[in-house]
């Protein structure tokens, strides 16, 4: 690891979504943290006190907070030793990260399909169909970035 990881709490909703890759890196690197799940009325009450009114948020032991999933991901990757040393490769990894983030919003918005909607409902079927119609182009674009069987490293 590059330096000592400060003690912290990761706060997120009761879904995988934008905190999943963060939790995966923490698990991979064996980094201990407090995992706070907040939802329903508790989230409604806490929302306005969060940076940008959104989660995930990391709260450091000294009270400082880091918001936005991309910023948190890079912060965790730093301490987990997962950031490429080469600036061009680091930028390439950021490019792939941002491309994957686009799957979580806009025309794709896979989050409700995976985390929220009832799989038996009409809205689920419509959103899944819209996602699948766009997935062919997105997967082709991502696939074109593969270096051997992986995106990097």
């Amino acid at each position: 690891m590059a330096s000592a990881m400060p003690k912290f709490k990761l706060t997120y909703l009761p879904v995988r979504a934008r905190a999943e890759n963060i939790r995966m890196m923490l698990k991979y690197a064996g980094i201990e943290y407090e995992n706070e799940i907040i939802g329903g009325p508790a989230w409604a009450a806490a929302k306005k006190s969060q940076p940008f009114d959104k989660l995930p948020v990391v709260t450091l032991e000294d009270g400082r907070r880091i918001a936005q999933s991309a910023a948190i991901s890079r912060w965790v990757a730093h301490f987990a030793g997962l950031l490429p040393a080469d600036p061009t490769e680091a930028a390439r990894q950021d490019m792939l990260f941002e491309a994957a983030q686009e799957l979580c919003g806009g025309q794709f918005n896979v989050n409700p399909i995976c985390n929220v909607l009832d799989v038996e409902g009409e809205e689920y079927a419509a959103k899944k169909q819209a996602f699948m119609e766009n997935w062919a182009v997105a997967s082709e674009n991502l696939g074109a970035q593969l270096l051997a069987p992986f995106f990097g490293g």
Side-chain angles (χ1 to χ4, degrees), residues 64-80:
R64 290 181 294 164
R65 295 190 296 171
I66 303 167
Q68 300 294 355
S69 58
I72 296 167
S73 293
R74 288 182 192 95
W75 181 77
V76 169
H78 167 80
F79 287 105

Side-chain angles (χ1 to χ4, degrees), residues 40-52:
W43 166 235
K47 185 173 184 173
K48 285 294 181 190
S49 68
Q50 302 303 318
F52 312 108

Side-chain angles (χ1 to χ4, degrees), residues 12 14-18 110-118 124:
Y12 196 56
V15 295
R16 295 182 306 263
R18 294 192 181 268
V110 72
N111 279 335
I113 299 167
C114 296
N115 295 304
V116 178
L117 299 174
D118 177 3
Y124 172 85

Side-chain angles (χ1 to χ4, degrees), residues 5-150:
M5 181 78 166
K7 291 186 177 189
F8 70 97
K9 172 176 63 176
L10 173 65
T11 304
Y12 196 56
L13 304 167
V15 295
R16 295 182 306 263
R18 294 192 181 268
E20 183 72 355
N21 69 305
I22 297 164
R23 291 181 182 128
M24 290 171 73
M25 286 189 290
L26 291 165
K27 177 73 172 175
Y28 173 81
I31 296 171
E32 293 184 21
Y33 67 103
E34 180 184 343
N35 187 35
E36 178 182 43
I37 306 296
I38 186 170
W43 166 235
K47 185 173 184 173
K48 285 294 181 190
S49 68
Q50 302 303 318
F52 312 108
D53 299 340
K54 294 185 173 36
L55 296 174
V57 169
V58 160
T59 304
L60 302 175
E61 194 172 38
D62 66 8
R64 290 181 294 164
R65 295 190 296 171
I66 303 167
Q68 300 294 355
S69 58
I72 296 167
S73 293
R74 288 182 192 95
W75 181 77
V76 169
H78 167 80
F79 287 105
L82 297 172
L83 288 179
D86 174 51
T88 302
E89 184 58 24
R92 187 174 179 286
Q93 295 304 314
D94 278 345
M95 170 188 77
L96 294 166
F97 178 85
E98 293 301 331
Q101 288 291 87
E102 289 176 1
L103 297 175
C104 298
Q107 64 182 343
F108 294 106
N109 206 0
V110 72
N111 279 335
I113 299 167
C114 296
N115 295 304
V116 178
L117 299 174
D118 177 3
V119 296
E120 302 296 325
E122 290 179 25
E123 186 178 9
Y124 172 85
K127 287 192 180 286
K128 181 179 175 186
Q129 180 179 345
F131 176 83
M132 295 308 289
E133 288 170 0
N134 291 302
W135 176 243
V137 172
S139 63
E140 185 177 323
N141 290 340
L142 284 169
Q145 303 305 315
L146 284 172
L147 304 174
F150 303 105

